[in-house]
Every structure is written in structure tokens, then in C-alpha cells.
Amino acid sequence: MEAYKREFIEFMIDCDVLKFGDFVTKSGRKTPFFVNTGFYRTGAHLRKLGQYYAQAIKEAFGLEFDVLFGPAYKGIPLAVATSMAISEVYGKEIGYCANRKEVKDHGDKGILLGSPLADGDRVALIEDVTTAGTSIAETMPILKAQGELQLVGLVVSVDRMERGQGTKSALCEIEEKYGLRTASIVTMKEVVEHLHNRPYQGKVIIDDDMKAAIDAYYEQYGAEE
């Protein structure tokens, strides 16, 4: 596993973004792990997060695109932080763009904010964690309304590797439905691989009991490989 992936897993723990215990997802599934990206709350957090996203994007898709699009609301700071990181780390200027939940009818009018989109623009999408693909389903009509865009791919922070609407993962379903390449900074398989019976900050976060709970969860909700 690449060093930046290991660092990102530990970064999530340090920020209280990645937690283990007893949780319930929005879809009603009882899960032994939870990813809450709302806990990235400081400038330092967002700066580092943007750098991890930037590296994942570069490795998955390269940097030959024009605009990074983040769906409202959580995608907005991700697009801003990551476009800044791409500029800072790689010296590449990428526009950022996001949608508004409500159309603005004065000043900077329309449904978009940030960099405008035009025919021929190469656009990469950025999200936090995708479990059902709902945000992308809402985003696609907005993007299509802007013209003939070239969609480069979608990157998320963590691939939960569980079933979406069918038997495949949400990311696989997005790939098949929209013909869109997908990538993640890390997968839950990599998280478990890195943390199982390995002390971090003086404690073992995934011991054998937690590993058994995670395995049981994937027996029930895991996506087809």
C-alpha cells in the first residue's frame, strides 16, 4: 500500500472522521464503522485533505482536465481545497465549480458558482463518500445542461465497498450507468489491512473482535467483486 494511503487512514482517525463501534447508516444498515467527513473542520484539515485528494486524482486520472466539480454541499469545500492543492503541489491551475441548491436570480446568476462550464471542458467530479449514488444522479442533469462536457472521472475519499442499489458497489454502479471512471483515496479493505492488530497512538483500533464484526457486515452487505 502506498505511503500516502497509510497516512490518510491515520489522518482520518486523528480528525475523528473514521470511527469504529455501532452505527446506523442513512440507508438503515447497522454498521461497525462510520465515515463522517463533517469532522474535517479546520484550515489545516482541509489543506491536508486537499493534498490527499490531489494525489489520488493524479494517480487515477492524471491532471489533464480543466475543472473540478463538487456537488453541493459537502463537495464545495472539497473542490476548493483540492484545486488549491493541485496548484500548490503540482503547479497546475484547475478551475473549481459547484452547484447551488437554489438558482440565484441576481448578481452572479444561475445554478453554478466558481468557474463557468462550457462545451469541450474536461471535468472531474469530487465527493466525500458515495453509498447510493444519489448525489451523482442529481448532479448529472446539471452538468449535461451546461453543454458538451468531457467527464474525466469521479473521486471519493473512501470506497466503503458495499452494495449500492443492486449487488455491485455504488462506485461500480456509477461507472456502468454513466460511463464514468471512479477512484478513491482508500478502500475499506485497505483501511482494515492497515489497522488490523496494529497499534496506532497507543491502541489497537481494529482488534480481532472488530475485524470479525466488519467481516460479518461485508458478508451481509458487501458488494460483488
Side-chain angles (χ1 to χ4, degrees):
M1 188 191 313
E2 298 92 327
Y4 86 96
K5 290 177 177 280
R6 296 194 296 269
E7 292 169 7
F8 179 66
I9 292 166
E10 294 168 4
F11 173 64
M12 286 193 291
I13 294 168
D14 293 341
C15 295
D16 284 330
V17 166
L18 175 61
K19 298 182 180 182
F20 296 89
D22 295 308
F23 307 97
V24 178
T25 67
K26 187 184 295 185
S27 60
R29 296 174 180 174
K30 292 183 178 180
T31 174
F33 59 90
F34 198 74
V35 181
N36 185 352
T37 57
F39 276 85
Y40 295 121
R41 292 177 172 173
T42 70
H45 288 172
L46 288 174
R47 185 172 183 271
K48 288 188 70 174
L49 179 62
Q51 291 171 353
Y52 289 122
Y53 266 112
Q55 186 161 357
I57 290 170
K58 183 175 184 292
E59 292 195 0
F61 311 130
L63 298 177
E64 294 306 311
F65 61 96
D66 307 298
V67 179
L68 186 59
F69 185 92
Y73 288 105
K74 285 186 177 180
I76 298 174
L78 299 181
V80 172
T82 305
S83 62
M84 291 174 67
I86 290 172
S87 174
E88 178 184 6
V89 177
Y90 301 111
K92 174 79 174 180
E93 290 304 314
I94 298 289
Y96 95 88
C97 184
N99 64 293
R100 296 182 173 96
K101 289 289 189 178
E102 309 83 16
V103 177
K104 189 177 178 185
D105 60 4
H106 62 282
D108 182 17
K109 296 181 180 180
I111 197 169
L112 300 182
L113 57 90
S115 179
L117 298 175
D119 285 349
D121 279 349
R122 298 163 299 178
V123 180
L125 282 71
I126 187 168
E127 278 221 287
D128 56 351
V129 180
T130 297
T131 52
T134 304
S135 177
I136 295 301
E138 294 171 350
T139 298
M140 284 301 179
I142 295 171
L143 294 176
K144 287 183 178 179
Q146 309 310 311
E148 295 296 324
L149 306 177
Q150 300 177 39
L151 299 184
V152 172
L154 164 70
V155 63
V156 300
S157 61
V158 180
D159 179 359
R160 287 181 60 100
M161 302 179 68
E162 61 189 76
R163 296 199 307 268
Q165 303 295 327
T167 59
K168 297 182 179 180
S169 73
L171 290 184
C172 285
E173 289 176 351
I174 287 169
E175 287 186 349
E176 292 182 356
K177 185 172 183 179
Y178 302 108
L180 186 67
R181 289 186 296 167
T182 64
S184 62
I185 304 175
V186 294
T187 66
M188 276 305 299
K189 182 178 180 179
E190 290 169 329
V191 169
V192 173
E193 175 188 329
H194 181 56
L195 294 177
H196 182 215
N197 280 340
R198 181 175 293 158
Y200 178 67
Q201 302 285 34
K203 67 181 286 190
V204 173
I205 295 169
I206 299 181
D207 58 14
D208 288 337
D209 288 341
M210 179 54 66
K211 173 68 161 53
I214 294 171
D215 289 345
Y217 182 78
Y218 280 110
E219 281 290 321
Q220 186 171 6
Y221 296 115
E224 288 182 353
E225 294 288 340

